[in-house]
Amino acid sequence: MKPTSVITRVDVPAREGRAVRVGAGDLVRVSTPEGAQVGDLFAFVSADAAEHLSAAHTRGHVDRLFPHVREQFVTTRRRPVLTLVEDTSPGRHDMLIPACDPARYRNLGHHGEHASCAENLVTALRGLDIEITTVPQPVNLFMDITPNAGGDLEWRSSPAAPGATVSFRAELDCVVVVSACPQDLVGINGHEPGPLVIEVHRTDSDER
């Protein structure tokens, strides 16, 4: 799939989240300019935000922990919402871990305010006048969570190199939210949290 033009480019500062409206057939590309930055990805159907990308339903749909290129992410109603079309990273992404939230940081021993992906999601959606009551489990782009032989989860630093991208084709009109994960108490983001970039491309109709 070859994009013809960038219709939206959004810089996502470190520790923050941003939302973009995407039309069916558009290409959504998320990149990590500095490398090793996890991005929590959410997608909500434009016609009804109660229907959203579901990591759990997607695992059942593809029979693996993360879709391969050309496979689809599905919603809570088991409808395809995004198709993975390109991945220039090592392909380490996660669909097991929920979005970080204030309780997570308190449990890790942090005192006081701390940015979180759950709060970033709510704030980004409010900017588009969308309210949600539950934070869905995200797709954690560039995040390397690996089960060991004993079944324990190993939280590894993201292996994504500077400039690595993951690209999706939207199958439904939707709102895509990306949070540049602010996690700095567990070493998933390299040395410290960094920025991400979202690009929305309009594609040739014969390639949709």
Side-chain angles (χ1 to χ4, degrees):
M1 175 179 294
K2 296 180 180 179
T4 60
S5 62
V6 179
I7 58 174
T8 303
R9 176 194 161 102
V10 177
D11 293 315
V12 185
R15 305 174 186 269
E16 298 184 17
R18 295 292 186 271
V20 294
R21 293 191 182 275
V22 179
D26 288 346
L27 185 75
V28 182
R29 179 169 292 151
V30 181
S31 60
T32 170
E34 299 174 5
Q37 175 57 44
V38 170
D40 283 33
L41 173 77
F42 307 85
F44 297 82
V45 176
S46 295
D48 181 5
E51 181 180 5
H52 53 78
L53 189 160
S54 168
H57 289 76
T58 298
R59 292 195 302 268
H61 180 70
V62 299
D63 291 327
R64 58 173 62 92
L65 291 180
F66 194 81
H68 289 172
V69 171
R70 301 185 186 279
E71 293 183 339
Q72 297 171 325
F73 298 83
V74 300
T75 72
T76 46
R77 297 176 187 168
R78 301 187 189 274
R79 295 198 297 164
V81 61
L82 298 175
T83 297
L84 180 63
V85 296
E86 185 179 38
D87 186 356
T88 70
S89 78
R92 302 302 301 175
H93 311 283
D94 167 73
M95 292 202 305
L96 294 175
I97 305 302
C100 60
D101 53 30
R104 169 66 167 159
Y105 291 104
R106 288 195 297 271
N107 290 342
L108 289 172
H110 180 81
H111 300 285
E113 297 294 324
H114 196 293
S116 72
C117 289
E119 293 174 309
N120 287 347
L121 169 65
V122 171
T123 299
L125 289 177
R126 282 179 178 163
L128 298 179
D129 295 322
I130 299 171
E131 296 286 341
I132 58 173
T133 57
T134 301
V135 174
Q137 181 183 335
V139 174
N140 298 302
L141 303 177
F142 311 123
M143 183 170 173
D144 189 0
I145 302 295
T146 302
N148 63 24
D152 297 322
L153 297 179
E154 297 181 3
W155 296 63
R156 299 177 178 178
S157 179
S158 170
T165 65
V166 182
S167 300
F168 310 91
R169 183 179 65 245
E171 305 299 343
L172 300 169
D173 293 346
C174 58
V175 174
V176 171
V177 182
V178 176
S179 172
C181 183
Q183 179 61 264
D184 53 8
L185 303 180
V186 176
I188 60 172
N189 287 316
H191 296 297
E192 62 181 33
L196 295 170
V197 174
I198 310 169
E199 291 179 347
V200 181
H201 297 257
R202 181 67 36 80
T203 59
D204 291 330
S205 59
D206 61 354
E207 292 181 333
R208 293 185 182 185

